[in-house]
Amino acid sequence: MAIRIAKTLTPIPDLLVVELAALFHDLDDHKYRTSTSPTLSTLLQPFLTHPSLAPEQAGMILKIIPSVSYTAEIKLQKAIPTQWIWQATCGELHAVQDADRLDAVGSIGIMRCAAFSCKANRKLLEEGPESGSGLGLGSRSGAGIDGAGKEEGEMQKDPVKAKVDGKGQSAEGHFEEKLLLIKDRMKTDFGRAEAERRHQTMVDFLSSLERERAVLDAE
């Protein structure tokens, strides 16, 4: 997907950098790393020193990977001074980011969210009187969830703060905390168009979930 997105950009980015950064970007994911994990450069050293890869390309890959994730972007943009500078115009990064985010939304995103929630021992549904709160049909399809009236790029919720506050501790809650906001963080025209379609898939799914919950609550 990253290569496909990259080929829609003008000028076309370095496709080898895009491909390798896309393949390796999860190696730096905090969910999979531990205090004893080797550094990213050490981990990738056998690949990045290959004769077919120029030092400049290897350096760009190591530079791109820590900036790919949704959470990393938020942190870097909020840093004082901001650490989101070269990233704003890097086509290679944008192709990898949009491909990564498209994987997290739509039908595949729904299945991934459920699968990871089971692995992480995270409940699937919100419970109690506030179950489904903030995820009403109107807010999902209207200004509430899309952040209309806010400055471009501003999000309703801070996913980093949400983790600290203990929110988003269910698969259902993860949609509001992150997945429904992704379409507004896309970087390319292709990514934005595809994210809009996949966003609607999630909206339809959550609407169906609310209807099914209402049937259960009525028993």
Side-chain angles (χ1 to χ4, degrees):
M1 179 65 79
I3 291 292
R4 181 178 179 184
I5 294 172
K7 288 180 177 179
T8 69
L9 302 179
T10 304
I12 294 178
D14 186 323
L15 297 182
L16 181 57
V17 169
V18 170
E19 183 173 14
L20 293 179
L23 287 172
F24 296 144
H25 79 276
D26 272 335
L27 294 178
D28 199 43
D29 194 310
H30 67 90
K31 295 190 296 294
Y32 311 120
R33 294 182 63 81
T34 68
S35 58
T36 59
S37 296
T39 64
L40 184 63
S41 58
T42 299
L43 200 60
L44 294 181
Q45 194 269 343
F47 301 97
L48 300 185
T49 55
H50 193 278
S52 64
L53 197 66
E56 296 78 12
Q57 291 174 305
M60 179 59 73
I61 292 167
L62 289 175
K63 193 176 179 182
I64 286 172
I65 289 175
S67 296
V68 170
S69 79
Y70 182 92
T71 303
E73 179 177 340
I74 302 301
K75 285 183 176 179
L76 292 172
Q77 288 181 339
K78 288 193 171 187
I80 301 175
T82 178
Q83 296 176 32
W84 194 264
I85 301 173
W86 63 269
Q87 296 96 325
T89 57
C90 181
E92 289 84 358
L93 171 63
H94 295 172
V96 177
Q97 280 188 309
D98 277 13
D100 182 52
R101 291 171 189 186
L102 286 174
D103 278 347
V105 295
S107 299
I108 293 175
I110 292 169
M111 291 190 291
R112 284 183 53 174
C113 180
F116 181 78
S117 295
C118 292
K119 179 182 182 299
N121 198 28
R122 180 172 66 182
K123 61 188 178 183
L124 292 178
L125 301 177
E126 294 289 335
E127 299 174 355
E130 295 185 355
S131 61
S133 62
L135 296 173
L137 301 183
S139 66
R140 288 191 189 125
S141 57
I145 200 64
D146 294 336
K150 294 177 177 284
E151 294 182 4
E152 184 178 359
E154 185 180 353
M155 300 194 315
Q156 283 184 299
K157 292 182 178 289
D158 182 341
V160 178
K161 184 176 184 296
K163 291 180 181 179
V164 175
D165 292 344
K167 298 178 181 178
Q169 296 302 308
S170 71
E172 181 185 5
H174 189 59
F175 283 90
E176 181 185 15
E177 295 295 339
K178 179 178 179 182
L179 301 185
L180 290 174
L181 303 176
I182 284 179
K183 74 179 182 67
D184 295 323
R185 306 293 298 192
M186 305 302 286
K187 301 297 191 302
T188 67
D189 290 341
F190 179 96
R192 282 187 284 270
E194 183 63 16
E196 285 284 353
R197 186 187 68 78
R198 298 189 187 199
H199 177 86
Q200 188 58 48
T201 297
M202 296 189 296
V203 168
D204 293 342
F205 166 75
L206 291 168
S207 297
S208 179
L209 179 62
E210 277 194 356
R211 288 193 295 270
E212 293 172 21
R213 188 200 302 278
V215 172
L216 290 174
D217 291 344
E219 292 181 354

